[in-house]
Amino acid sequence: MSEDMNQVEVANYEAGDRVKGQVTKVEEKQVIVNIENSKLDGIIPISELSSLHVEKAEDVVSEGNVLELEVLKVEEDALILSKRKVDAEKAWEKLEEQFESGEVFEAEVKDVVKGGLVVDLGVRGFVPASLVEAHFVEDFTDYKGRQVTFKIVELDKAKNRLILSHRAVVEQENSRKKQDILDTLEAGQVLEGTVQRLTDFGAFVDIGGVDGLVHISQLSHEHVEKPSDVVQEGQKVQVKVLSVDRDNERISLSVKETLPGPWSNIEEKAPKGSTLEGTVRRLVSYGAFVEVFPGVEGLVHISQISHRHIGTPHEVLSEGQEVKVKVLDVNVDDQRLSLSMKDFEEREDQYPQDYEMPEESKGFQLGELLGDKLKNLKQ
């Protein structure tokens, strides 16, 4: 086609027109296309190929591609075209719909820049570092090229501003999971969880997307000084659900309730006639309570403390003292152990072998125990 005929054809177009063109040549800084239904050529400068920075035109298009383009400028024998403007116009329409609906969509991270990530959605989308994840990320390098889910959190077409968030997607999903779990949790359930963090008053345990609190008193049957003595962050634990407050999203859990009680198998651990070592925990008017296993205390009746008569246990014992005791009786149902120290008392004259223990020393009465507690309360 002659130059005159080209000029005639060029005259049929003006800036803003939409045309289709097939790529005939990809150069380093521009792309040559043939305008559909004509012999006319068009030129797409590399800056008009994409909303993102492009190093080489071949990274965006290939020979044979048919592109929808907008005329930027009409020159004597060719059209200067833009792929970017057409892509952007289409993109804004879709993006506005996605923004209004709160749609979650997937897109490839095109680049990692200072302060966040860049995504090509027909227009340049930016993900600030604080909106990438719900947790802190030090290095975003490996995000480049990854498919990630996003929501649009800010859109301003006039300012060409598009802000995306992956964090919002994560938090939305976590919130949904949390609600699902809260709806299905019931007191009494036993679940596996992971210790998330420790505080002075207990441990927060993740039970599948929602955290529950194990109060320090529910960590063990034994007395716990600080949670880190019993559990560590990241540790898997069995927990029992004590209560669920759905309105305030609070869950109370117990590790202690999943563990064998201190009195479990006590008949095997402390059979009648066996000798144990223990610690004097409390002194009362009628005897001494000695802890022989964590959480297991037995009573040494005052008559079983010494062969000689004593007025009060304080005469020969003190709290915290380590002592040796003999098991006289085991009552599993009432969780009671009757103990004796007399056999281990150092003395020259021993009772004869056929000496029979006084009847009152074979145990202790519930009334005595309650009476002592009532005295303490009155004080």
Side-chain angles (χ1 to χ4, degrees):
M1 185 177 287
S2 68
E3 190 173 314
D4 289 342
M5 290 183 69
N6 268 358
Q7 289 174 345
V8 170
E9 274 210 68
V10 162
N12 293 330
Y13 298 94
E14 60 182 31
D17 285 351
R18 289 282 180 94
V19 298
K20 282 187 178 179
Q22 185 171 31
V23 178
T24 56
K25 190 175 184 182
V26 179
E27 298 177 355
E28 189 177 350
K29 296 299 179 184
Q30 65 181 23
V31 174
I32 310 300
V33 298
N34 174 247
I35 305 301
E36 192 178 62
N37 301 321
S38 80
K39 298 292 185 182
L40 201 58
D41 283 337
I43 299 168
I44 311 170
I46 192 168
S47 60
E48 291 298 325
L49 280 174
S50 171
S51 60
L52 303 183
H53 174 70
V54 177
E55 288 290 339
K56 293 183 290 185
E58 63 185 26
D59 293 339
V60 182
V61 295
S62 304
E63 283 188 23
N65 288 165
V66 176
L67 309 175
E68 196 168 339
L69 307 161
E70 182 174 318
V71 178
L72 290 181
K73 189 177 177 185
V74 179
E75 297 198 336
E76 285 187 10
D77 58 352
L79 303 177
I80 307 301
L81 306 165
S82 173
K83 176 178 180 294
R84 177 182 63 82
K85 289 194 75 172
V86 175
D87 290 346
E89 198 60 43
K90 286 182 178 178
W92 280 118
E93 291 176 18
K94 184 179 180 182
L95 292 168
E96 283 170 345
E97 289 175 9
Q98 290 173 317
F99 180 49
E100 292 296 325
S101 67
E103 181 187 336
V104 174
F105 54 88
E106 195 172 65
E108 182 185 342
V109 176
K110 287 291 185 184
D111 206 0
V112 176
V113 295
K114 186 178 180 181
L117 311 176
V118 175
V119 178
D120 182 11
L121 296 172
V123 296
R124 182 183 187 272
F126 183 61
V127 191
S130 61
L131 298 184
V132 177
E133 296 288 358
H135 57 271
F136 175 73
V137 178
E138 190 166 348
D139 184 6
F140 292 106
T141 307
D142 65 345
Y143 279 76
K144 187 172 182 177
R146 271 173 56 181
Q147 291 287 327
V148 179
T149 49
F150 296 106
K151 277 182 75 173
I152 300 169
V153 292
E154 192 178 334
L155 182 148
D156 189 334
K157 184 179 176 184
K159 293 180 180 178
N160 205 37
R161 182 175 173 82
L162 180 67
I163 305 298
L164 311 174
S165 173
H166 174 61
R167 177 178 177 170
V169 178
V170 172
E171 289 177 343
Q172 180 178 298
E173 182 63 18
N174 288 345
S175 179
R176 186 189 64 76
K177 283 182 183 176
K178 188 174 185 178
Q179 197 55 54
D180 288 347
I181 293 168
L182 283 167
D183 290 343
T184 56
L185 275 183
E186 296 292 343
Q189 284 178 314
V190 176
L191 309 162
E192 184 177 73
T194 305
V195 178
Q196 290 293 95
R197 59 192 175 93
L198 304 179
T199 68
D200 291 341
F201 52 85
F204 284 94
V205 175
D206 176 13
I207 48 174
V210 59
D211 285 356
L213 174 65
V214 182
H215 190 267
I216 191 168
S217 63
Q218 291 295 328
L219 282 170
S220 173
H221 289 290
E222 303 171 41
H223 174 71
V224 177
E225 289 291 337
K226 54 183 188 293
S228 58
D229 291 341
V230 184
V231 290
Q232 303 299 319
E233 289 183 6
Q235 182 180 337
K236 301 283 186 186
V237 289
Q238 290 287 314
V239 290
K240 183 177 181 179
V241 179
L242 298 181
S243 65
V244 182
D245 181 348
R246 290 182 175 82
D247 292 337
N248 295 306
E249 298 186 351
R250 287 180 185 162
I251 304 163
S252 293
L253 305 171
S254 174
V255 172
K256 181 172 77 173
E257 293 278 324
T258 68
L259 303 173
W263 288 84
S264 296
N265 304 319
I266 195 66
E267 287 175 307
E268 295 173 20
K269 294 189 287 186
K272 193 171 179 178
S274 62
T275 298
L276 303 169
E277 290 188 354
T279 305
V280 177
R281 292 298 181 200
R282 291 178 293 139
L283 295 176
V284 293
S285 60
Y286 52 85
F289 284 94
V290 176
E291 186 177 46
V292 289
F293 297 107
V296 176
E297 290 183 4
L299 175 69
V300 182
H301 191 271
I302 192 168
S303 62
Q304 291 297 322
I305 292 175
S306 174
H307 284 288
R308 64 186 173 84
H309 176 75
I310 56 172
T312 69
H314 296 80
E315 292 177 26
V316 290
L317 294 174
S318 57
E319 290 183 0
Q321 184 178 338
E322 300 294 322
V323 294
K324 193 175 281 189
V325 293
K326 181 179 179 181
V327 179
L328 300 179
D329 190 44
V330 185
N331 186 326
V332 179
D333 295 335
D334 295 336
Q335 295 189 348
R336 281 167 55 178
L337 273 181
S338 293
L339 308 171
S340 173
M341 291 170 48
K342 289 200 299 192
D343 284 2
F344 309 106
E345 185 180 42
E346 290 184 8
R347 52 169 301 201
E348 293 178 8
D349 56 322
Q350 296 288 338
Y351 282 94
Q353 287 185 349
D354 59 350
Y355 169 78
E356 187 168 335
M357 186 171 43
E359 192 64 27
E360 69 269 21
S361 68
K362 292 183 178 177
F364 63 93
Q365 298 302 312
L366 184 60
E368 291 176 316
L369 179 58
L370 291 175
D372 187 76
K373 287 190 174 180
L374 288 170
K375 283 179 191 174
N376 290 338
L377 285 171
K378 286 176 182 177
Q379 289 173 358

